[in-house]
Amino acid sequence: MTASNLGATLAATRRRLRDEIDNVPTADVGTTAVLESGLRIRATADDGNVLVTDMPAVFGGEASGPTAGTLLRAALACCNATTLAMVAAETGVTLTRLEVRVESRSDRRGVLGEPATLPGPVEMTLRYGVAAEGLGEADLRALIEEAGNRSPVLSALRRTVPVRVEIGDGED
């Protein structure tokens, strides 16, 4: 889809969603993760998309797929790249380069249940490689800031999202 078509599509979606204000928030596509073997997990979204995770050998896995932590970083990088492309299209900016890299630091003892050690990242860094026709650094920074304000994944990481835990027979 060209940038101008994308901009028009997003404008139409914005108008439609404003008309549906009584129906928000709406349910996202659900995902079910199933243990295949060892630590290999197959996640299938309700829309049919599938991905597989595994842990490195040092944690007892077979490294047959990315870790969930890698997918978290990928989700953040992809989401921010997507929202930046969306903002650019909506504002008529032609991106000539867009790359988003996410790095994190974690205390890996947390996943092993070590006392007083939290699992997961303790810090994350978003690094942009971005260029656009006719825009200088200040304008690019403003574009990146607006994209970050619209990124659902970045938003979820920056705030506390309530997570309910339910236990069932797994046959639902």
Side-chain angles (χ1 to χ4, degrees):
M1 180 175 290
T2 66
S4 62
N5 289 345
L6 176 57
T9 298
L10 294 171
T13 300
R14 183 185 311 275
R15 285 190 300 276
R16 184 178 52 80
L17 291 176
R18 283 186 180 144
D19 292 342
E20 297 176 5
I21 195 71
D22 293 335
N23 298 326
V24 293
T26 58
D28 297 318
V29 174
T31 303
T32 302
V34 176
L35 178 67
E36 288 190 336
S37 66
L39 296 176
R40 182 181 168 91
I41 308 291
R42 176 176 301 277
T44 305
D46 292 344
D47 63 5
N49 284 304
V50 176
L51 51 88
V52 173
T53 66
D54 200 351
M55 291 294 282
V58 68
F59 284 102
E62 295 179 5
S64 65
T67 66
T70 298
L71 295 180
L72 174 65
R73 290 184 296 279
L76 180 56
C78 290
C79 192
N80 278 48
T82 298
T83 55
L84 184 52
M86 291 169 67
V87 170
E90 288 177 320
T91 57
V93 171
T94 301
L95 295 173
T96 56
R97 178 173 182 246
L98 175 55
E99 180 178 297
V100 180
R101 178 175 173 79
V102 174
E103 297 172 349
S104 63
R105 291 173 28 86
S106 302
D107 186 337
R108 294 189 178 115
R109 297 174 299 169
V111 75
L112 299 174
E114 289 292 318
T117 306
L118 295 174
V122 295
E123 68 180 22
M124 298 179 89
T125 301
L126 276 161
R127 186 168 290 116
Y128 287 84
V130 62
E133 292 178 3
L135 292 187
E137 185 176 339
D139 291 330
L140 288 172
R141 285 189 179 281
L143 208 64
I144 290 168
E145 183 176 342
E146 177 61 21
N149 290 338
R150 296 187 191 189
S151 169
V153 175
L154 182 58
S155 177
L157 289 169
R158 284 183 167 164
R159 62 187 161 86
T160 302
V161 176
V163 177
R164 282 194 321 265
V165 176
E166 300 175 352
I167 300 174
D169 61 11
E171 298 296 321
D172 303 308

